[in-house]
Amino acid sequence: MNLLGKKADTFAHGVREHVRLGTKISETVKGKLSLGARILQVGGLEKIFKQLFSFREGEKLLKACQCYLSTTAGPIAGLLFISSEKVAFCSERSIKVPCANGEYVRVHYKVVVPVEKIKGVNQSENRKKPWQKYMEIVTVDGFDIWFMGFLNYHKAFKCLQRAISQRLEDVDTLKVA
């Protein structure tokens, strides 16, 4: 029973952290409801993934989770997709981006990193608030991408580690063959 209580407590901290990163609780809840409706409308997370990102034959979606992408302008809420081929993020809401003609266009903020371009993944936490956990993806070309505010941080981290190690095993198998 103690393990169940610890899992519930960890999940509650994840929800609180996820909501805390949003601008206003009402906006966060509205965004989550809108996202849920979109997932149902499209027919599931895998179909959303296939709509948003190029999808190769044999590629498998391993996990999709809600989190925030850390940017210099502040955290952006969205979905992190972990597949056998890539790690991809798409914002829940569109953002305004200036065009060359001076007008603005609304687009979803997207980040895509092929798994073979990932050098490593690191975990970090706030020392004063250990429930605030962060995940850093480091690419082979020196970029680092930070995610935070996961509802279930440990599952997302383990899944990402598994995807990277599986890809490395696949590459090693190809070298031997």
Side-chain angles (χ1 to χ4, degrees), residues 3-18:
L3 180 64
L4 185 61
K6 184 176 177 167
K7 284 186 176 184
D9 188 50
T10 301
F11 181 73
H13 279 296
V15 170
R16 185 174 69 202
E17 179 65 12
H18 187 76

Side-chain angles (χ1 to χ4, degrees), residues 24-81:
K24 291 189 226 174
I25 192 161
S26 60
E27 290 296 314
T28 302
V29 170
K30 192 166 92 175
K32 300 304 168 206
L33 290 172
S34 173
L35 177 63
R38 183 170 170 219
I39 291 168
L40 289 173
Q41 212 173 23
V42 171
L45 288 167
E46 190 163 336
K47 287 189 178 178
I48 286 180
F49 177 65
K50 287 178 179 180
Q51 275 184 358
L52 294 171
F53 305 100
S54 61
F55 195 80
R56 290 181 161 166
E57 184 74 30
E59 182 174 3
K60 293 182 180 126
L61 178 61
L62 305 173
K63 180 137 187 81
C65 45
Q66 294 182 34
C67 68
Y68 288 83
L69 171 69
S70 178
T71 70
T72 54
I76 297 176
L79 286 171
L80 179 68
F81 297 95

Side-chain angles (χ1 to χ4, degrees), residues 79-94:
L79 286 171
L80 179 68
F81 297 95
I82 302 169
S83 83
S84 55
E85 302 288 325
K86 67 174 100 23
V87 175
F89 175 87
C90 183
S91 63
E92 280 178 16
R93 297 172 155 223
S94 56

